[in-house]
Amino acid sequence: MIAITGSTGKLGHHVIQELARQVPPSQIIALARNPANARGIEELGVQVRQADYDDKNSLAGALKGATKVLLISSNEIGKRESQHKNIIAAALANKIQHLVYTSILRANSSTLELAKEHLATEAEIKKSALAYTLLRNGWYLENHTENMSSAIATGTLLGSAGEGRFSSASRLDYALAAVKVLTQSGHENKTYELGGNASFTLNELAKQISDQTKKAVAYRDLPEAEYEKLLVSFGLPQGFAHVLADSDTGAKNSQLFTESTDLEKLIGRKTTSLKEALRKAASK
């Protein structure tokens, strides 16, 4: 049986949908802090079990009978390391045969604030002696497309990435890679650097938005501190605003760019292009 943490999140939802096409849904365990949010998943025929990242007892019970676990990183920045340790401990208690973890691109050398908790989790996994696979995911294309309405409305795309390039891919691309690793042998104790085939700058993103919407959008590059301050003024929590601004600065320094073709190899096709992602976002 395969257990998926973060099952009600956007990436988790994609993983479970794709996994249910390849294995009997009854062999999938969807872990959810609030099972009421997993009703759509439950309709696929998967088992939904209550599990809280902060509750060791709930995690140990939720993993009973599982042989593989996909640990989708928690979305609670600042609490991830301790929460992930709880899941690793539950995996050990249940003698899990294979633990797959969604990390961040080049976690061992990344300067991004986000990388710290990922690297700590990777170290904890390796220390545990569990068979593992590290999926070091790059940026999601949806990080760029889901909030483009404000850029279209104002004619300005804000950021602090300069001419840094993003090797972004869609959530579905990353989900398919996770499913491949969970359903095939030969991926144990391997690390994959995952990113899109074609990279782009925020200037190029603004131009593509303009081309597709026929509305003029220009990129405005800001110092990190100024960008962070603007994000807070828009209503984002201070901590999240800092992470976004820091990530843009990381992109400026090539931290979200990769020439690795690991993702293409795992999913067996080219990754989703920016043009495709923008077209899909615009059609919603």
Side-chain angles (χ1 to χ4, degrees):
M1 296 183 72
I2 303 173
I4 312 296
T5 76
S7 64
T8 58
K10 293 176 180 177
L11 179 61
H13 190 71
H14 277 304
V15 169
I16 288 176
Q17 284 191 318
E18 296 304 318
L19 191 57
R21 294 186 174 100
Q22 299 198 33
V23 302
S26 60
Q27 295 300 303
I28 302 171
I29 303 168
L31 305 188
R33 179 172 290 176
N34 183 358
N37 294 334
R39 286 172 185 157
I41 295 171
E42 200 168 24
E43 289 172 1
L44 295 173
V46 308
Q47 299 182 47
V48 175
R49 297 182 185 176
Q50 197 281 329
D52 190 319
Y53 281 129
D54 296 309
D55 184 348
K56 293 180 181 179
N57 291 330
S58 76
L59 289 170
L63 292 185
K64 282 185 178 176
T67 56
K68 299 179 181 181
V69 174
L70 172 63
L71 169 49
I72 294 177
S73 57
S74 162
N75 62 5
E76 294 185 79
I77 299 167
K79 295 180 67 177
R80 284 170 160 176
E81 184 177 351
S82 62
Q83 291 177 334
H84 295 168
K85 279 184 178 180
N86 289 341
I87 296 167
I88 294 164
L92 279 167
N94 283 279
K95 297 181 171 58
I96 296 299
Q97 296 171 15
H98 189 188
L99 177 67
V100 181
Y101 174 59
T102 61
S103 187
I104 196 169
L105 196 62
R106 295 194 306 279
N108 58 321
S109 62
S110 178
T111 61
L112 270 65
E113 286 284 334
L114 283 174
K116 294 177 182 177
E117 289 181 300
H118 285 295
L119 186 58
T121 300
E122 289 188 7
E124 195 70 23
I125 290 170
K126 291 177 180 178
K127 187 172 74 175
S128 75
L130 289 163
Y132 67 86
T133 304
L134 302 178
L135 300 176
R136 289 178 169 170
N137 292 351
W139 233 225
Y140 298 138
L141 280 167
E142 289 85 352
N143 291 349
H144 307 287
T145 63
E146 286 177 349
N147 299 308
M148 68 178 186
S149 58
S150 60
I152 295 168
T154 63
T156 305
L157 176 68
L158 299 172
S160 56
E163 287 302 304
R165 304 195 72 81
F166 293 80
S167 298
S168 304
S170 70
R171 284 195 185 94
L172 178 58
D173 292 338
Y174 293 118
L176 288 170
V179 169
K180 183 64 68 72
V181 168
L182 289 165
T183 56
Q184 288 188 345
S185 60
H187 300 287
E188 293 80 5
N189 302 326
K190 291 186 177 180
T191 298
Y192 296 108
E193 302 289 351
L194 305 180
N197 290 110
S199 64
F200 53 88
T201 67
L202 293 187
N203 266 315
E204 291 167 349
L205 170 61
K207 184 178 185 307
Q208 286 239 27
I209 294 173
S210 297
D211 290 346
Q212 291 214 27
T213 63
K214 307 305 179 187
K215 295 183 179 180
V217 176
Y219 173 56
R220 181 185 171 196
D221 194 58
L222 301 168
E224 181 183 327
E226 186 178 340
Y227 182 43
E228 179 179 331
K229 192 174 180 179
L230 264 178
L231 291 173
V232 172
S233 74
F234 296 155
L236 269 66
Q238 179 71 54
F240 187 47
H242 174 70
V243 164
L244 290 180
D246 173 79
S247 297
D248 259 24
T249 297
K252 183 185 294 185
N253 297 319
S254 302
Q255 300 301 296
L256 291 172
F257 170 76
T258 182
E259 293 180 330
S260 169
T261 56
D262 285 351
L263 183 53
E264 177 188 355
K265 290 173 183 174
L266 282 173
I267 66 177
R269 61 161 171 76
K270 293 288 186 182
T271 60
T272 305
S273 69
L274 175 61
K275 187 175 182 178
E276 289 174 85
L278 287 170
R279 186 184 298 122
K280 183 177 179 181
S283 67
K284 289 184 178 179

